[in-house]
Amino acid sequence: EPEVTQTPSHQVTQMGQEVILRCVPISNHLYFYWYRQILGQKVEFLVSFYNNEISEKSEIFDDQFSVERPDGSNFTLKIRSTKLEDSAMYFCASSDQGPEETQYFGPGTRLLVL
Amino acid sequence: DAKTTQPTSMDCAEGRAANLPCNHSTISGNEYVYWYRQIHSQGPQYIIHGLKNNETNEMASLIITEDRKSSTLILPHATLRDTAVYYCIVNFGNEKLTFGTGTRLTIIP
């Protein structure tokens, strides 16, 4: 069964450093998403991406964040200068196009900013 | 904010059916009801979705009331591995998913 994969599973970084989180969506999907979950809190939407551009972003997704689909298979989230409060689980999701297309989530990357 | 209301927590005996309710009184005509679950801090796992008819798959059944203002997710024979947080989400198309706090379901041996 096709699945969304994410790398790395864990990432530890120093405050102010750049991190890139990687995702391989399900191969025929057209919509891509990033969500995050701070420990003990709700899953929060960050950004959606379609047709090589951002289709929607939340207020969390400020100038420190960027997304890219550098090739036909990867979808990345870059945090330019990490802050302590960026520590969270980051989940990638993908879906096909349509009125009832399900979003399928990856296992997540646990980011710890020290 | 999430457009659904769910109980904070529920317990269910192993082997029994777990019935998880959800209220979505402001659902619009083209929105679907989705159920996901999250085990520990793993990625949310899709369970089932429906528009107005009842649905069943290998994991669960979804019962949607005729007025579509509420629904119930049924896990027919709960196992310990079904212990998780269950989220009821209304959504249309490829819009962002808005997660609430969900229902923490604990399966009791």
Side-chain angles (χ1 to χ4, degrees), chain A residues 4-19:
Chain A
V4 177
T5 59
Q6 292 185 240
T7 54
S9 59
H10 293 78
Q11 173 94 46
V12 180
T13 190
Q14 296 292 323
M15 188 170 56
Q17 295 296 304
E18 174 184 286
V19 295

Side-chain angles (χ1 to χ4, degrees), chain B residues 52-56 62-65:
Chain B
K52 52 186 176 181
N53 297 321
N54 298 337
E55 302 288 344
T56 296
L62 174 60
I63 308 298
I64 303 174
T65 58

Side-chain angles (χ1 to χ4, degrees), chain B residues 2-36:
Chain B
K3 296 188 281 186
T4 62
T5 305
Q6 300 177 250
T8 302
S9 64
M10 293 180 63
D11 292 340
C12 178
E14 188 178 16
R16 304 296 294 269
N19 295 273
L20 290 85
C22 178
N23 287 321
H24 32 80
S25 59
T26 60
I27 192 170
S28 61
N30 59 358
E31 287 183 313
Y32 289 76
V33 180
Y34 286 83
W35 283 84
Y36 285 82

Side-chain angles (χ1 to χ4, degrees), chain B residues 83-95:
Chain B
T83 292
V85 179
Y86 287 76
Y87 300 101
C88 168
I89 301 171
V90 296
N91 196 49
F92 175 77
N94 300 105
E95 296 176 348

Side-chain angles (χ1 to χ4, degrees), chain A residues 33 35 37 96 99-100 103, chain B residues 34 36 38 49 93-95 97:
Chain A
Y33 311 81
Y35 294 81
Q37 186 176 33
D96 206 343
E100 62 169 306
Q103 292 182 34
Chain B
Y34 286 83
Y36 285 82
Q38 189 176 26
H49 75 283
N94 300 105
E95 296 176 348
L97 296 177

